[in-house]
Amino acid sequence: MKFFVDSANVKEIREAQEMGMADGVTTNPSLVAKEGKPFKDTILEICNVVDGPVSVEVVATEMKGMLEEAAEFATWHKNVVIKLPTTKEGLKACKRLSSQGVKTNLTLCFSPSQALLVAKAGATYVSPFVGRLDDISHVGMDLVRDILQIYENYGYPTQVLAASLRHPLHVVEAAMAGAHVGTMPFKVLDLMFKHPLTDRGLEQFLSDWEKVKAQVLAPA
Ligand code: E4P
């Protein structure tokens, strides 16, 4: 399973990369806005930190504008993946870009029917939003499972990128379902490392080791 960092914060992304856990990055307009830095500079900085796909989202709502933005983003770095909304216009843009060999990530996917269209449009990734479905009392992970089943039925190469993951259990469930990628905020990645029994066990080992040292150093 690939891990993408769902962030536009270069410090966090660098830390995830140093942990060896950043296979790629997903950004969106809200994440970029949160950093308060120029858009292009932020993306270029991220591309210099992580050698993997970096999703950059268009803000146009019509195909023509989406394609213009995509053409611009594609000149920024070879690892840029064009993130498009799962709308009729987004799917039309996706079809065009896919036929030109441009990598795409179709975001804001909330239903299996949308995901089927995404695969037919030749997208590289589909992003089902797990947490946002949970927020409205739907089991978001069911969508990930349904999409994986549909794609397997027909051998569609589109990769399922489980998004809007809010806690480590979401990541584990996405992995159990077989999602190709999970994109998560840095704080979720960081939580995955933690277990109180690991901390307590290590503390015990280190304090016992002090006794061993004391015995070795003790005069005969
Ligand atoms: C990823 O591509 C999405 O932008 C992101 O996962 C959305 O997460 P949120 O629902 O927690 O904002």
Side-chain angles (χ1 to χ4, degrees):
M1 185 189 198
K2 291 211 157 56
F3 277 13
F4 288 0
V5 190
D6 199 17
S7 175
N9 181 297
V10 179
K11 192 168 162 274
E12 286 179 352
I13 294 168
R14 186 170 287 116
E15 201 174 333
Q17 200 273 339
E18 281 164 8
M19 291 169 180
M21 296 297 159
D23 299 309
V25 175
T26 50
T27 66
N28 64 37
S30 311
L31 292 170
V32 173
K34 212 166 93 183
E35 298 310 313
K37 292 201 294 195
F39 183 34
K40 184 175 175 182
D41 293 355
T42 306
I43 299 299
L44 287 179
E45 233 186 305
I46 294 171
C47 289
N48 285 332
V49 172
V50 173
D51 187 20
V54 175
S55 288
V56 183
E57 188 160 343
V58 302
V59 289
T61 52
E62 308 266 324
M63 180 186 72
K64 189 171 168 291
M66 290 177 184
L67 292 176
E68 282 165 7
E69 285 181 53
E72 161 74 14
F73 298 164
T75 64
W76 291 358
H77 196 278
K78 66 177 173 46
N79 287 343
V80 165
V81 171
I82 308 301
K83 203 175 186 193
L84 300 159
T86 308
T87 57
K88 206 181 277 184
E89 293 296 306
L91 285 161
K92 276 158 48 181
C94 175
K95 186 80 192 164
R96 286 276 193 98
L97 292 170
S98 315
S99 66
Q100 294 163 11
V102 176
K103 292 203 167 107
T104 52
N105 173 4
L106 273 283
T107 189
L108 292 168
C109 175
F110 291 100
S111 74
S113 56
Q114 287 179 311
L116 185 51
L117 299 173
V118 168
K120 286 184 69 62
T124 315
Y125 303 100
V126 63
S127 288
F129 273 37
V130 175
R132 291 194 195 187
L133 280 169
D134 286 357
D135 289 344
I136 57 158
S137 305
H138 283 255
V139 181
M141 205 55 70
D142 281 350
L143 175 59
V144 172
R145 288 185 272 266
D146 288 350
I147 299 173
L148 283 161
Q149 178 66 67
I150 292 168
Y151 286 8
E152 192 192 325
N153 290 348
Y154 295 96
Y156 286 127
T158 302
Q159 295 184 46
V160 179
L161 192 168
S164 187
L165 302 179
R166 305 268 174 81
H167 47 72
L169 199 52
H170 268 158
V171 183
V172 171
E173 284 178 336
M176 287 176 72
H180 304 86
V181 187
T183 190
M184 66 206 79
F186 180 80
K187 70 166 192 278
V188 173
L189 174 63
D190 204 36
L191 278 173
M192 290 180 74
F193 285 89
K194 297 191 193 311
H195 201 289
L197 292 180
T198 304
D199 296 343
R200 204 186 305 162
L202 184 60
E203 211 175 290
Q204 184 70 53
F205 287 156
L206 294 179
S207 96
D208 288 343
W209 191 248
E210 287 303 313
K211 293 176 207 156
V212 174
K213 270 179 23 190
Q215 282 159 11
V216 170
L217 294 176

